[in-house]
Amino acid sequence: MTVISLVLPTQGAVDARLGILLLLFSLLLGGIQLVVARQRRGQVEVRDSLMMLLGNVCVIVAALGETLRFGSQVSAQVMLWPMVFAAGFLGRRWWPWQALLGTLGLFILGYAKALWIGAGGAWWVDSLVVAVSMLVTGVVVVYFRLAAEREAQELSRQSVTDPLTGLANRRALSDEFARLLRCTPPSHQVALVMFDLDYFKRVNDEFGHQVGDQVLQTAARLLGAQAGQTHLLARMGGEEFLWVLPGPDANALGTQVEGLRFSISQDAAMRGVTLSAGLVIRERHTLTSGDWLELLTLADRALYQAKDDGRNCLRIAPDTLLAACPLTG
C-alpha cells in the first residue's frame, strides 16, 4: 500500500513533501521488520515484541503520510486488522499490548485527521467507537482461541492417559522418561519397575470385569500412594504396570518397591491378587532418554523370573545397583 501511495499522483495534499517523507520512512520501518523477522538469535519474545512495535509504528507513519499527501486515511483501516486477528495468533501476554497500541494508533490518526483535514465533530468519539468495537471483536476471538486450546490440550492429555486408572499409557513413556531424567540429579539413581498382578484373570472369571476394573484402580491407587510426585507411573496394558522412580539411594528404591508389593498383598480390595515385579536400577549419569527401552527389556526379564519363581515376589535384573536384594516375602 505504501508503494502504491508513492506512485499515485498527489491530490488534495496538505503537505505532499512531508507526506512522501513519512511514506518512505514507513518503508524503512518495513525493511527493518524483515531484518528482525529473519534474525534467529536472541530471545524469541524480544523479537516478537519488537516486531509488534515496529508494525504498529509502520502503519501509523504510513497512514499519516497518506493523510498529508492525499487528504485521506484509507490506509488507517490496516490498524483494525491486528486488533482483531492478532488475538488469534499472538501470545497471550502480547495481545493486550497490541490492543493498546492499536487503540493509541486510532486516536493518533483521528487527531491528525481532525487537525489536517478538518473533519467535523468530536474526533475522539469516532476513534473511541471504532476502538471499542474492534476490542470487543478481539475479545471474542480470544475466547474462541482459548476454548480451542483447552479442547486440544484435553485431547492431548487423553491420548497419553489410561482412562481406567488415570496413569500414563505406553504412548507417553518416551517423553515422560526424558522429563524424569531432566529432573533427576546426576548423582542419583533411577529405578525402573515392571510389575504384573498375579492371577488377575481369576478375578474377572469369578467376580466379573467390573470388579476386575476396581482391582486395577485399587492397584493404581496403592501405586500412587507409594510413589512421589516426580515419579513416572504407567499402565502398560491389561494387568501390567510400569513405575520409574529416582532417588539418591539404590537400596531405598528397592525397599520402596517391596513396600508396594506388600501393601497390595495385604489390601482386601485386591481380592487376593498379589504382585510380581522386575526391577532394574542404574546411575542417572549413565542414562539418556533413549535408554528406557533397554531398561524396560531388562525389567521385563526380571518380571518373568519372578513369575517363574512362584509369583508374589520381586526379582532384580543383572548389574542392578543394590547392596543386597530386598526382602521378597
Side-chain angles (χ1 to χ4, degrees):
M1 290 182 65
T2 303
V3 173
I4 294 174
S5 298
L6 285 169
V7 300
L8 288 175
T10 300
Q11 296 178 352
V14 177
D15 187 338
R17 182 175 298 179
L18 180 57
I20 292 174
L21 290 175
L22 289 174
L23 290 170
L24 290 173
F25 183 55
S26 71
L27 283 179
L28 175 62
L29 292 175
I32 295 174
Q33 275 189 288
L34 291 176
V35 173
V36 173
R38 292 174 61 87
Q39 179 68 289
R40 298 301 181 187
R41 300 174 184 174
Q43 297 181 357
V44 174
E45 289 191 355
V46 173
R47 187 173 68 242
D48 288 347
S49 61
L50 183 57
M51 284 285 291
M52 182 176 63
L53 180 60
L54 285 172
N56 282 273
V57 174
C58 182
V59 172
I60 293 173
V61 171
L64 290 175
E66 179 201 339
T67 305
L68 288 169
R69 189 172 183 209
F70 300 104
S72 63
Q73 279 192 351
V74 177
S75 59
Q77 297 179 23
V78 178
M79 292 296 304
L80 308 182
W81 299 346
M83 292 182 69
V84 175
F85 297 114
F89 60 84
L90 274 182
R92 295 180 186 178
R93 62 175 299 183
W94 294 120
W95 181 75
W97 289 104
Q98 173 55 55
L100 178 62
L101 289 172
T103 302
L104 180 62
L106 288 174
F107 275 85
I108 291 174
L109 295 178
Y111 176 74
K113 183 178 180 181
L115 179 65
W116 293 333
I117 304 177
W123 63 268
W124 61 270
V125 174
D126 293 339
S127 299
L128 181 62
V129 170
V130 174
V132 169
S133 61
M134 292 301 102
L135 290 174
V136 170
T137 307
V139 169
V140 173
V141 173
V142 169
Y143 171 79
F144 284 108
R145 174 189 176 180
L146 294 179
E149 288 178 352
R150 285 194 296 268
E151 183 176 354
Q153 290 172 356
E154 178 61 20
L155 290 174
S156 177
R157 187 193 66 81
Q158 291 178 4
S159 70
V160 295
T161 302
D162 174 56
L164 179 63
T165 62
L167 304 181
N169 60 19
R170 280 181 175 270
R171 189 176 300 177
L173 292 182
S174 179
D175 290 341
E176 289 299 307
F177 184 76
R179 177 195 59 79
L180 183 142
L181 290 185
R182 288 194 299 269
C183 298
T184 304
S187 59
H188 283 201
Q189 289 81 40
V190 175
L192 188 145
V193 187
M194 280 286 295
F195 68 88
D196 187 272
L197 300 181
D198 302 322
Y199 306 112
F200 176 74
K201 184 176 181 300
R202 193 162 54 194
V203 174
N204 284 332
D205 293 340
E206 293 183 9
F207 302 102
H209 288 280
Q210 183 174 358
V211 174
D213 288 346
Q214 293 173 355
V215 169
L216 291 173
Q217 290 171 334
T218 300
R221 175 178 58 80
L222 294 172
L223 173 58
Q226 288 283 340
Q229 292 184 347
T230 61
H231 296 183
L232 170 55
L233 312 176
R235 181 186 176 198
M236 302 297 289
E239 63 272 26
E240 198 169 56
F241 294 79
L242 174 73
W243 182 14
V244 185
L245 57 161
D249 182 78
N251 288 286
L253 295 178
T255 302
Q256 196 170 358
V257 176
E258 177 61 16
L260 172 65
R261 187 199 65 79
F262 181 78
S263 64
I264 284 180
S265 68
Q266 298 298 308
D267 196 300
M270 292 299 297
R271 303 282 182 166
V273 168
T274 56
L275 177 152
S276 296
L279 168 68
V280 59
I281 300 180
R282 292 289 185 269
E283 295 280 359
R284 162 61 187 91
H285 66 85
T286 67
L287 295 175
T288 66
S289 58
D291 291 333
W292 76 273
L293 283 175
E294 179 184 354
L295 297 179
L296 191 65
T297 300
L298 292 172
D300 195 46
R301 291 174 182 171
L303 168 61
Y304 275 98
Q305 185 63 50
K307 292 285 190 181
D308 291 341
D309 289 346
R311 295 179 169 82
N312 192 23
C313 62
L314 170 65
R315 290 296 178 259
I316 315 300
D319 301 324
T320 289
L321 302 171
L322 287 174
C325 180
L327 179 66
T328 57

Short mmCIF file of all heavy atoms in Angstrom, two decimals, residues 10-63:
data_model
loop_
_atom_site.label_atom_id
_atom_site.label_comp_id
_atom_site.label_asym_id
_atom_site.label_seq_id
_atom_site.Cartn_x
_atom_site.Cartn_y
_atom_site.Cartn_z
N THR A 10 -0.40 13.10 -6.60
CA THR A 10 -0.85 13.78 -5.39
C THR A 10 -2.15 14.53 -5.65
O THR A 10 -2.28 15.24 -6.65
CB THR A 10 0.21 14.78 -4.91
OG1 THR A 10 1.41 14.07 -4.63
CG2 THR A 10 -0.25 15.51 -3.67
N GLN A 11 -3.11 14.35 -4.74
CA GLN A 11 -4.39 15.04 -4.85
C GLN A 11 -4.82 15.53 -3.48
O GLN A 11 -4.77 14.76 -2.51
CB GLN A 11 -5.48 14.11 -5.42
CG GLN A 11 -5.19 13.65 -6.85
CD GLN A 11 -6.25 12.70 -7.35
OE1 GLN A 11 -7.11 12.28 -6.59
NE2 GLN A 11 -6.19 12.36 -8.63
N GLY A 12 -5.26 16.77 -3.39
CA GLY A 12 -5.75 17.32 -2.13
C GLY A 12 -4.73 17.28 -1.03
O GLY A 12 -5.06 17.01 0.12
N ALA A 13 -3.46 17.52 -1.37
CA ALA A 13 -2.39 17.38 -0.40
C ALA A 13 -2.42 18.49 0.64
O ALA A 13 -2.66 19.66 0.32
CB ALA A 13 -1.04 17.36 -1.10
N VAL A 14 -2.18 18.10 1.90
CA VAL A 14 -1.98 19.08 2.97
C VAL A 14 -0.52 19.51 2.97
O VAL A 14 -0.19 20.70 3.06
CB VAL A 14 -2.37 18.48 4.33
CG1 VAL A 14 -2.09 19.49 5.45
CG2 VAL A 14 -3.83 18.06 4.34
N ASP A 15 0.38 18.54 2.86
CA ASP A 15 1.82 18.80 2.75
C ASP A 15 2.42 17.58 2.05
O ASP A 15 2.83 16.61 2.69
CB ASP A 15 2.43 18.99 4.14
CG ASP A 15 3.89 19.44 4.09
OD1 ASP A 15 4.53 19.21 3.04
OD2 ASP A 15 4.37 20.02 5.07
N ALA A 16 2.42 17.64 0.70
CA ALA A 16 2.82 16.48 -0.09
C ALA A 16 4.25 16.05 0.19
O ALA A 16 4.56 14.86 0.26
CB ALA A 16 2.64 16.78 -1.58
N ARG A 17 5.15 17.00 0.36
CA ARG A 17 6.56 16.65 0.57
C ARG A 17 6.73 15.88 1.88
O ARG A 17 7.40 14.84 1.92
CB ARG A 17 7.40 17.92 0.59
CG ARG A 17 8.91 17.65 0.77
CD ARG A 17 9.71 18.92 0.66
NE ARG A 17 9.57 19.53 -0.68
CZ ARG A 17 10.16 20.66 -1.02
NH1 ARG A 17 10.90 21.33 -0.15
NH2 ARG A 17 10.00 21.13 -2.25
N LEU A 18 6.13 16.40 2.96
CA LEU A 18 6.23 15.69 4.25
C LEU A 18 5.54 14.34 4.18
O LEU A 18 6.00 13.35 4.76
CB LEU A 18 5.63 16.55 5.36
CG LEU A 18 5.67 15.94 6.77
CD1 LEU A 18 7.10 15.59 7.17
CD2 LEU A 18 5.04 16.89 7.79
N GLY A 19 4.43 14.29 3.44
CA GLY A 19 3.73 13.02 3.28
C GLY A 19 4.61 11.98 2.61
O GLY A 19 4.64 10.81 3.02
N ILE A 20 5.35 12.39 1.56
CA ILE A 20 6.24 11.45 0.88
C ILE A 20 7.34 10.98 1.82
O ILE A 20 7.71 9.80 1.83
CB ILE A 20 6.83 12.12 -0.38
CG1 ILE A 20 5.73 12.33 -1.43
CG2 ILE A 20 7.97 11.29 -0.96
CD1 ILE A 20 6.18 13.11 -2.65
N LEU A 21 7.88 11.89 2.59
CA LEU A 21 8.93 11.51 3.55
C LEU A 21 8.41 10.49 4.55
O LEU A 21 9.11 9.52 4.90
CB LEU A 21 9.46 12.76 4.26
CG LEU A 21 10.29 13.73 3.42
CD1 LEU A 21 10.64 14.97 4.23
CD2 LEU A 21 11.57 13.03 2.92
N LEU A 22 7.20 10.68 5.04
CA LEU A 22 6.62 9.73 6.00
C LEU A 22 6.38 8.37 5.35
O LEU A 22 6.62 7.32 5.97
CB LEU A 22 5.32 10.28 6.57
CG LEU A 22 5.44 11.46 7.54
CD1 LEU A 22 4.07 12.00 7.91
CD2 LEU A 22 6.20 11.05 8.80
N LEU A 23 5.92 8.37 4.10
CA LEU A 23 5.72 7.11 3.40
C LEU A 23 7.04 6.37 3.20
O LEU A 23 7.13 5.15 3.37
CB LEU A 23 5.03 7.36 2.06
CG LEU A 23 3.56 7.79 2.14
CD1 LEU A 23 3.06 8.25 0.78
CD2 LEU A 23 2.69 6.66 2.67
N LEU A 24 8.08 7.12 2.85
CA LEU A 24 9.40 6.50 2.70
C LEU A 24 9.93 5.96 4.03
O LEU A 24 10.55 4.89 4.09
CB LEU A 24 10.39 7.52 2.12
CG LEU A 24 10.16 7.91 0.65
CD1 LEU A 24 11.10 9.05 0.26
CD2 LEU A 24 10.39 6.71 -0.26
N PHE A 25 9.66 6.70 5.10
CA PHE A 25 10.08 6.25 6.42
C PHE A 25 9.35 4.97 6.81
O PHE A 25 9.94 4.07 7.43
CB PHE A 25 9.82 7.35 7.45
CG PHE A 25 10.29 7.00 8.84
CD1 PHE A 25 11.60 6.63 9.08
CD2 PHE A 25 9.41 7.03 9.91
CE1 PHE A 25 12.04 6.31 10.36
CE2 PHE A 25 9.83 6.71 11.19
CZ PHE A 25 11.15 6.35 11.41
N SER A 26 8.07 4.87 6.43
CA SER A 26 7.33 3.64 6.73
C SER A 26 7.91 2.46 5.96
O SER A 26 7.94 1.33 6.47
CB SER A 26 5.85 3.81 6.40
OG SER A 26 5.63 3.85 5.00
N LEU A 27 8.40 2.70 4.75
CA LEU A 27 9.08 1.63 4.01
C LEU A 27 10.34 1.19 4.72
O LEU A 27 10.67 -0.01 4.77
CB LEU A 27 9.40 2.10 2.60
CG LEU A 27 8.26 2.14 1.57
CD1 LEU A 27 8.78 2.64 0.23
CD2 LEU A 27 7.65 0.76 1.42
N LEU A 28 11.08 2.16 5.27
CA LEU A 28 12.28 1.83 6.03
C LEU A 28 11.94 0.97 7.23
O LEU A 28 12.63 -0.02 7.52
CB LEU A 28 12.99 3.11 6.47
CG LEU A 28 14.21 2.94 7.38
CD1 LEU A 28 15.30 2.15 6.65
CD2 LEU A 28 14.73 4.30 7.84
N LEU A 29 10.88 1.34 7.93
CA LEU A 29 10.46 0.54 9.09
C LEU A 29 10.06 -0.87 8.67
O LEU A 29 10.35 -1.85 9.36
CB LEU A 29 9.28 1.23 9.79
CG LEU A 29 9.59 2.55 10.50
CD1 LEU A 29 8.31 3.17 11.04
CD2 LEU A 29 10.59 2.34 11.63
N GLY A 30 9.39 -0.97 7.50
CA GLY A 30 9.04 -2.29 6.99
C GLY A 30 10.27 -3.12 6.68
O GLY A 30 10.30 -4.33 6.93
N GLY A 31 11.31 -2.48 6.14
CA GLY A 31 12.56 -3.19 5.88
C GLY A 31 13.22 -3.68 7.16
O GLY A 31 13.75 -4.79 7.21
N ILE A 32 13.17 -2.84 8.20
CA ILE A 32 13.72 -3.25 9.50
C ILE A 32 12.96 -4.46 10.04
O ILE A 32 13.54 -5.38 10.62
CB ILE A 32 13.68 -2.08 10.49
CG1 ILE A 32 14.59 -0.94 10.02
CG2 ILE A 32 14.07 -2.53 11.89
CD1 ILE A 32 14.51 0.31 10.85
N GLN A 33 11.63 -4.47 9.83
CA GLN A 33 10.84 -5.62 10.26
C GLN A 33 11.31 -6.90 9.59
O GLN A 33 11.40 -7.95 10.23
CB GLN A 33 9.36 -5.39 9.92
CG GLN A 33 8.59 -4.60 10.96
CD GLN A 33 7.11 -4.62 10.65
OE1 GLN A 33 6.67 -3.98 9.70
NE2 GLN A 33 6.37 -5.34 11.44
N LEU A 34 11.59 -6.82 8.29
CA LEU A 34 12.05 -8.01 7.57
C LEU A 34 13.37 -8.52 8.15
O LEU A 34 13.57 -9.73 8.29
CB LEU A 34 12.20 -7.70 6.09
CG LEU A 34 10.91 -7.45 5.30
CD1 LEU A 34 11.23 -7.07 3.87
CD2 LEU A 34 10.03 -8.69 5.34
N VAL A 35 14.26 -7.59 8.49
CA VAL A 35 15.55 -7.98 9.07
C VAL A 35 15.33 -8.65 10.43
O VAL A 35 15.94 -9.69 10.74
CB VAL A 35 16.47 -6.75 9.22
CG1 VAL A 35 17.74 -7.12 9.98
CG2 VAL A 35 16.83 -6.19 7.85
N VAL A 36 14.46 -8.05 11.24
CA VAL A 36 14.18 -8.63 12.57
C VAL A 36 13.54 -10.00 12.43
O VAL A 36 13.85 -10.93 13.18
CB VAL A 36 13.28 -7.68 13.38
CG1 VAL A 36 12.86 -8.34 14.70
CG2 VAL A 36 14.01 -6.37 13.65
N ALA A 37 12.63 -10.14 11.45
CA ALA A 37 11.94 -11.42 11.27
C ALA A 37 12.91 -12.53 10.88
O ALA A 37 12.72 -13.69 11.24
CB ALA A 37 10.86 -11.27 10.20
N ARG A 38 13.95 -12.19 10.14
CA ARG A 38 14.93 -13.18 9.71
C ARG A 38 15.99 -13.47 10.77
O ARG A 38 16.75 -14.42 10.66
CB ARG A 38 15.62 -12.71 8.43
CG ARG A 38 14.69 -12.68 7.21
CD ARG A 38 15.39 -12.07 6.02
NE ARG A 38 16.56 -12.84 5.63
CZ ARG A 38 16.55 -13.88 4.82
NH1 ARG A 38 15.40 -14.28 4.30
NH2 ARG A 38 17.65 -14.53 4.53
N GLN A 39 16.04 -12.63 11.78
CA GLN A 39 17.05 -12.79 12.82
C GLN A 39 16.69 -13.96 13.71
O GLN A 39 15.61 -14.03 14.29
CB GLN A 39 17.15 -11.50 13.65
CG GLN A 39 18.16 -11.58 14.79
CD GLN A 39 19.59 -11.67 14.27
OE1 GLN A 39 20.01 -12.67 13.72
NE2 GLN A 39 20.33 -10.61 14.46
N ARG A 40 17.58 -14.91 13.85
CA ARG A 40 17.31 -16.11 14.65
C ARG A 40 17.98 -16.09 16.00
O ARG A 40 17.84 -17.01 16.79
CB ARG A 40 17.78 -17.35 13.88
CG ARG A 40 17.05 -17.55 12.56
CD ARG A 40 15.57 -17.70 12.76
NE ARG A 40 14.87 -17.92 11.51
CZ ARG A 40 13.56 -17.95 11.40
NH1 ARG A 40 12.81 -17.75 12.46
NH2 ARG A 40 12.99 -18.16 10.22
N ARG A 41 18.75 -15.05 16.27
CA ARG A 41 19.47 -15.02 17.53
C ARG A 41 18.65 -14.29 18.58
O ARG A 41 17.71 -13.57 18.27
CB ARG A 41 20.81 -14.32 17.37
CG ARG A 41 21.74 -15.00 16.36
CD ARG A 41 22.99 -14.17 16.13
NE ARG A 41 23.83 -14.76 15.10
CZ ARG A 41 24.92 -14.18 14.63
NH1 ARG A 41 25.30 -13.00 15.09
NH2 ARG A 41 25.62 -14.78 13.69
N GLY A 42 19.05 -14.48 19.85
CA GLY A 42 18.38 -13.77 20.93
C GLY A 42 17.08 -14.43 21.32
O GLY A 42 16.67 -15.47 20.80
N GLN A 43 16.39 -13.81 22.24
CA GLN A 43 15.15 -14.36 22.77
C GLN A 43 14.01 -14.10 21.79
O GLN A 43 13.86 -13.02 21.24
CB GLN A 43 14.83 -13.74 24.12
CG GLN A 43 15.87 -14.05 25.20
CD GLN A 43 15.49 -13.44 26.52
OE1 GLN A 43 14.49 -12.74 26.64
NE2 GLN A 43 16.28 -13.71 27.53
N VAL A 44 13.18 -15.12 21.61
CA VAL A 44 12.07 -15.02 20.69
C VAL A 44 11.09 -13.95 21.14
O VAL A 44 10.56 -13.18 20.33
CB VAL A 44 11.36 -16.38 20.57
CG1 VAL A 44 10.09 -16.25 19.72
CG2 VAL A 44 12.30 -17.42 19.96
N GLU A 45 10.83 -13.87 22.44
CA GLU A 45 9.87 -12.89 22.94
C GLU A 45 10.32 -11.46 22.67
O GLU A 45 9.52 -10.59 22.35
CB GLU A 45 9.63 -13.09 24.43
CG GLU A 45 8.83 -14.35 24.75
CD GLU A 45 8.38 -14.37 26.19
OE1 GLU A 45 8.77 -13.46 26.94
OE2 GLU A 45 7.64 -15.29 26.57
N VAL A 46 11.63 -11.22 22.78
CA VAL A 46 12.15 -9.88 22.48
C VAL A 46 11.94 -9.56 21.02
O VAL A 46 11.51 -8.45 20.66
CB VAL A 46 13.65 -9.80 22.84
CG1 VAL A 46 14.23 -8.47 22.39
CG2 VAL A 46 13.84 -9.98 24.35
N ARG A 47 12.19 -10.52 20.12
CA ARG A 47 12.00 -10.31 18.69
C ARG A 47 10.52 -10.07 18.39
O ARG A 47 10.17 -9.19 17.60
CB ARG A 47 12.50 -11.51 17.91
CG ARG A 47 12.48 -11.29 16.39
CD ARG A 47 13.13 -12.41 15.62
NE ARG A 47 12.36 -13.63 15.72
CZ ARG A 47 12.80 -14.75 16.26
NH1 ARG A 47 14.00 -14.79 16.80
NH2 ARG A 47 12.06 -15.83 16.29
N ASP A 48 9.63 -10.84 18.99
CA ASP A 48 8.20 -10.68 18.74
C ASP A 48 7.69 -9.32 19.21
O ASP A 48 6.88 -8.69 18.53
CB ASP A 48 7.41 -11.79 19.44
CG ASP A 48 7.62 -13.14 18.76
OD1 ASP A 48 8.15 -13.15 17.63
OD2 ASP A 48 7.24 -14.16 19.35
N SER A 49 8.13 -8.88 20.37
CA SER A 49 7.69 -7.58 20.87
C SER A 49 8.19 -6.45 19.99
O SER A 49 7.46 -5.49 19.72
CB SER A 49 8.18 -7.37 22.31
OG SER A 49 9.59 -7.40 22.38
N LEU A 50 9.43 -6.58 19.48
CA LEU A 50 9.97 -5.57 18.58
C LEU A 50 9.21 -5.55 17.26
O LEU A 50 8.92 -4.48 16.70
CB LEU A 50 11.46 -5.84 18.33
CG LEU A 50 12.21 -4.81 17.47
CD1 LEU A 50 12.10 -3.41 18.07
CD2 LEU A 50 13.67 -5.22 17.31
N MET A 51 8.88 -6.73 16.74
CA MET A 51 8.09 -6.82 15.52
C MET A 51 6.73 -6.15 15.69
O MET A 51 6.25 -5.43 14.82
CB MET A 51 7.90 -8.29 15.13
CG MET A 51 9.13 -8.92 14.53
SD MET A 51 9.43 -8.39 12.83
CE MET A 51 8.04 -9.19 12.02
N MET A 52 6.10 -6.39 16.83
CA MET A 52 4.79 -5.80 17.09
C MET A 52 4.88 -4.28 17.15
O MET A 52 4.06 -3.57 16.55
CB MET A 52 4.23 -6.34 18.41
CG MET A 52 2.84 -5.84 18.76
SD MET A 52 2.21 -6.62 20.27
CE MET A 52 3.43 -6.03 21.47
N LEU A 53 5.89 -3.76 17.83
CA LEU A 53 6.05 -2.31 17.95
C LEU A 53 6.36 -1.69 16.59
O LEU A 53 5.75 -0.68 16.20
CB LEU A 53 7.18 -2.01 18.94
CG LEU A 53 7.48 -0.52 19.19
CD1 LEU A 53 6.26 0.19 19.75
CD2 LEU A 53 8.68 -0.37 20.12
N LEU A 54 7.28 -2.30 15.84
CA LEU A 54 7.63 -1.77 14.52
C LEU A 54 6.43 -1.80 13.57
O LEU A 54 6.21 -0.87 12.79
CB LEU A 54 8.78 -2.58 13.92
CG LEU A 54 10.17 -2.33 14.50
CD1 LEU A 54 11.17 -3.34 13.95
CD2 LEU A 54 10.64 -0.91 14.22
N GLY A 55 5.65 -2.87 13.65
CA GLY A 55 4.49 -2.99 12.78
C GLY A 55 3.48 -1.90 13.02
O GLY A 55 2.95 -1.30 12.07
N ASN A 56 3.20 -1.60 14.27
CA ASN A 56 2.24 -0.56 14.59
C ASN A 56 2.75 0.83 14.18
O ASN A 56 2.00 1.63 13.61
CB ASN A 56 1.91 -0.58 16.08
CG ASN A 56 0.94 -1.69 16.45
OD1 ASN A 56 -0.26 -1.50 16.39
ND2 ASN A 56 1.47 -2.84 16.83
N VAL A 57 4.01 1.09 14.48
CA VAL A 57 4.58 2.38 14.11
C VAL A 57 4.60 2.53 12.60
O VAL A 57 4.29 3.61 12.05
CB VAL A 57 6.00 2.54 14.69
CG1 VAL A 57 6.65 3.82 14.18
CG2 VAL A 57 5.95 2.54 16.21
N CYS A 58 4.92 1.45 11.86
CA CYS A 58 4.97 1.48 10.41
C CYS A 58 3.60 1.86 9.83
O CYS A 58 3.50 2.70 8.92
CB CYS A 58 5.41 0.12 9.88
SG CYS A 58 5.56 0.04 8.08
N VAL A 59 2.54 1.24 10.35
CA VAL A 59 1.19 1.53 9.85
C VAL A 59 0.79 2.97 10.16
O VAL A 59 0.21 3.68 9.32
CB VAL A 59 0.18 0.54 10.44
CG1 VAL A 59 -1.25 0.95 10.07
CG2 VAL A 59 0.46 -0.87 9.94
N ILE A 60 1.07 3.42 11.38
CA ILE A 60 0.71 4.78 11.77
C ILE A 60 1.43 5.80 10.90
O ILE A 60 0.83 6.76 10.40
CB ILE A 60 1.03 5.02 13.26
CG1 ILE A 60 0.12 4.17 14.15
CG2 ILE A 60 0.86 6.50 13.61
CD1 ILE A 60 0.48 4.21 15.62
N VAL A 61 2.73 5.60 10.69
CA VAL A 61 3.50 6.54 9.86
C VAL A 61 2.98 6.54 8.43
O VAL A 61 2.84 7.61 7.80
CB VAL A 61 5.00 6.16 9.90
CG1 VAL A 61 5.78 6.98 8.88
CG2 VAL A 61 5.56 6.40 11.30
N ALA A 62 2.68 5.35 7.88
CA ALA A 62 2.15 5.28 6.51
C ALA A 62 0.81 6.00 6.40
O ALA A 62 0.55 6.73 5.43
CB ALA A 62 2.02 3.83 6.08
N ALA A 63 -0.07 5.80 7.40
CA ALA A 63 -1.39 6.46 7.38
C ALA A 63 -1.24 7.97 7.51
O ALA A 63 -1.98 8.74 6.87
CB ALA A 63 -2.25 5.91 8.50
#
